[in-house]
Amino acid sequence: MTTPPAPHSPPPIRVFLLDDHEVVRRGVRELLDDEPDIEVVGEAADRREALARAPALRPRVAVLDVRLGSGETAGDHEGIEVCRELRARMPELACLMLTSFDDDEALFDAIMAGAAGYVLKQIKGTDLVNAVRTVAAGASLLDPGATARVMARVRGEEDPVPPELARLSPREREILGLIGEGLTNRQIAQRLYLAEKTVKNRISSILSKLGVGRRVQAAVLAERLRDRDPSDASGSSSTDGPW
């Protein structure tokens, strides 16, 4: 009896590192390269190097230091701008922001730049490895408590509703409100008596109209919409006809 061939292992997760401290890059590289399913394909010490090298290497995950430089320049959140620019070139890239500071301002900026995760450098090595795997799989990794603080900030802002929201139909605003409540595609489908695939397609359209790439960004905008116009909350009925 012939033994069937062993199934092929999936390719390793390709990771790119950005940190201005060599010792940090070396430590993270050694930690990740020890894992059989992860491969560090490149690194950079500053924004210029990251934007020049990363696109050619096609990583799946970029681990980016939030603050680059020292002294006065350390507060610029330059790593978040790298996240924004890299994702504009590689929408499939998952950015994991790494920082020494528990900074709500940076967290808010990271979410709106499309980051998939935000962790402190005090994180355990095994947890960092798991974080890379989590964002590589397409999931978000944001601490619920920190995210709640960001939502509270959004509710307290006095900025007008972004004009992108005007592009949404009443039905799409209804779905956006349910995203803001944290409902999954399946839960939204059950709430609205729709096929889950229909909901998935509608959410893709919503994200495109809003100019964002992640549900968490849409959830932030949903909070802003709900506070500006309660009639647009998810509980309102839709009258825009068939999908």
Side-chain angles (χ1 to χ4, degrees), residues 86-107:
L86 287 180
R87 279 186 48 79
R89 302 184 194 182
M90 300 180 289
E92 73 284 358
L93 178 67
C95 293
L96 181 63
M97 309 309 301
L98 193 61
T99 181
S100 301
F101 306 93
D102 188 4
D103 182 348
D104 286 355
E105 181 77 20
L107 174 59

Side-chain angles (χ1 to χ4, degrees), residues 18-87:
L18 169 63
D19 197 294
D20 55 334
H21 294 95
E22 181 184 2
V23 66
V24 174
R25 295 199 309 275
R26 182 177 300 179
V28 174
R29 174 185 279 274
E30 291 178 357
L31 175 70
L32 297 180
D33 275 341
D34 278 345
E35 301 298 320
D37 60 332
I38 299 176
E39 176 188 6
V40 177
V41 296
E43 61 182 63
D46 57 39
R47 175 177 179 170
R48 179 187 58 80
E49 286 182 349
L51 296 178
R53 296 177 181 177
L57 296 170
R58 307 306 298 178
R60 176 67 186 94
V61 176
V63 180
L64 309 174
D65 186 14
V66 169
R67 298 190 177 201
L68 302 175
S70 58
E72 293 182 358
T73 62
D76 293 337
H77 299 163
E78 194 169 4
I80 294 174
E81 291 306 311
V82 173
C83 169
R84 194 188 314 276
E85 294 184 50
L86 287 180
R87 279 186 48 79

Side-chain angles (χ1 to χ4, degrees), residues 71-193:
E72 293 182 358
T73 62
D76 293 337
H77 299 163
E78 194 169 4
I80 294 174
E81 291 306 311
V82 173
C83 169
R84 194 188 314 276
E85 294 184 50
L86 287 180
R87 279 186 48 79
R89 302 184 194 182
M90 300 180 289
E92 73 284 358
L93 178 67
C95 293
L96 181 63
M97 309 309 301
L98 193 61
T99 181
S100 301
F101 306 93
D102 188 4
D103 182 348
D104 286 355
E105 181 77 20
L107 174 59
F108 179 86
D109 290 344
I111 288 175
M112 299 314 295
Y118 185 97
V119 296
L120 297 178
K121 288 184 177 179
Q122 294 88 332
I123 190 174
K124 294 180 180 179
T126 54
D127 291 337
L128 179 58
V129 170
N130 289 333
V132 168
R133 292 182 178 131
T134 296
V135 299
S140 294
L141 190 76
L142 294 166
D143 176 75
T147 304
R149 295 197 302 271
V150 170
M151 296 301 186
R153 171 187 164 178
V154 171
R155 287 192 294 269
E157 287 184 345
E158 297 182 356
D159 294 338
V161 174
E164 292 85 352
L165 291 171
R167 302 174 186 170
L168 303 184
S169 68
R171 173 71 84 177
E172 289 172 333
R173 289 196 176 202
E174 186 176 16
I175 293 176
L176 179 61
L178 294 176
I179 292 174
E181 292 180 19
L183 272 63
T184 64
N185 288 5
R186 177 172 298 180
Q187 291 169 329
I188 293 173
Q190 292 172 344
R191 178 79 66 88
L192 300 179
Y193 303 102

